[in-house]
Amino acid sequence: MNLMKYDLIILDCDGVIFNSNLLKIEAFKVSLEDFDNKAVLSFIEYLKKNFGSSRSKLIRVFIEDFLKISFDKILFQVIFEKYSKCCVKLYRSAEFTKDLIKFLGFYGSKKLYIASGSDQKELIEVFESRGLSKYFIEIHGSPELKTDIVFNITSANDLMAVLIGDAEADKLAAENSNIDFIFMKDYSTNNDMIKDKNLVSIKNLGELL
């Protein structure tokens, strides 16, 4: 399989660019260590199926659906800042996914974009420091919703497009913009998607070379 028929390639970040999903689970555990352990463990299981959602949405879900309390701006900010600090540290050392650099070089003539649920400012800084910015037209992240990010990218580029992701949020974003979706499973934490034989799937980016 290759992507030569596409002119526009949109990639998720965690689980596609970086092998960082499990690191982010640990980051959430650290950020939530002061809360009820049962609630945290239940939230982690939810998180595994919902990577790709913005951290703002995930933290709000934790507060309202797992702690079962009314939304608290101060509590939200405390968790948000603690988690963000953990993410900055993990991105500095997170491994690239298999054959990432080969993939980016191979498809260097295509329009490449990032559409992530991670904080956009943080992503831009990380991509610059890790030498990845040069490969991409634009790098997008939260607080903008992923569905909106992908829609805006495809609307601005009337080109044959595909989105490569590892989470349900990626699949939904592709469907919302009526573009093709490829599920990358080697680093995904969503077992339901990994088992779904109806998805167009790859193990890693090397399979697209």
Side-chain angles (χ1 to χ4, degrees):
M1 182 192 303
N2 66 54
L3 305 181
M4 287 306 176
K5 70 177 181 179
Y6 300 103
D7 299 301
L8 174 62
I9 303 172
I10 305 172
L11 298 107
D12 177 39
C13 180
D14 298 303
V16 176
I17 300 295
F18 295 106
N19 180 11
S20 49
N21 283 334
L22 294 180
L23 294 176
K24 283 202 161 184
I25 288 174
E26 291 305 312
F28 256 117
K29 287 180 180 178
V30 170
S31 303
L32 304 175
E33 61 187 359
D34 295 330
F35 300 98
D36 177 71
N37 187 58
K38 185 176 180 180
V40 172
L41 291 177
S42 296
F43 172 74
I44 294 301
E45 291 306 308
Y46 169 86
L47 177 64
K48 290 177 181 178
K49 294 184 178 181
N50 289 276
F51 267 111
S53 300
S54 72
R55 68 186 60 173
S56 295
K57 177 183 177 180
L58 291 169
I59 294 171
R60 186 168 192 130
V61 166
F62 174 70
I63 293 171
E64 295 180 338
D65 296 350
F66 290 88
L67 292 183
K68 299 187 183 302
I69 60 176
S70 299
F71 181 73
D72 184 316
K73 289 184 178 179
I74 295 176
L75 178 59
F76 171 89
Q77 197 61 33
V78 168
I79 298 172
F80 187 96
E81 290 180 3
K82 193 171 183 180
Y83 179 67
S84 294
K85 288 179 180 178
C86 289
C87 286
V88 169
K89 291 180 180 179
L90 73 86
Y91 274 134
R92 290 173 184 162
S93 58
E95 295 179 347
F96 295 152
T97 60
K98 181 177 172 58
D99 290 329
L100 170 69
I101 300 303
K102 289 181 181 179
F103 173 91
L104 296 176
F106 188 79
Y107 291 106
S109 63
K110 308 292 184 179
K111 285 193 171 184
L112 301 178
Y113 287 79
I114 291 292
S116 174
S118 296
D119 181 77
Q120 180 168 305
K121 182 180 178 182
E122 188 178 289
L123 282 176
I124 292 172
E125 292 174 352
V126 168
F127 273 62
E128 183 65 33
S129 67
R130 299 295 299 269
L132 296 174
S133 296
K134 62 186 178 183
Y135 295 106
F136 297 95
I137 303 295
E138 292 175 347
I139 298 166
H140 293 280
S142 64
E144 192 176 6
L145 295 176
K146 183 170 290 189
T147 51
D148 292 339
I149 292 171
V150 174
F151 181 80
N152 290 337
I153 292 172
T154 54
S155 296
N157 295 274
D158 187 19
L159 300 168
M160 188 76 168
V162 62
L163 190 156
I164 303 172
D166 72 321
E168 185 70 21
D170 303 313
K171 177 174 175 286
L172 294 175
E175 291 174 348
N176 181 69
S177 292
N178 196 30
I179 63 173
D180 290 344
F181 172 67
I182 297 175
F183 173 61
M184 185 164 140
K185 58 187 178 181
D186 266 5
Y187 309 93
S188 178
T189 59
N190 190 320
N191 288 326
D192 291 339
M193 294 184 74
I194 292 171
K195 296 175 183 176
D196 188 347
K197 295 183 179 180
N198 293 317
L199 291 174
V200 176
S201 300
I202 56 170
K203 292 182 177 180
N204 53 66
L205 295 173
E207 293 191 3
L208 299 174
L209 299 175

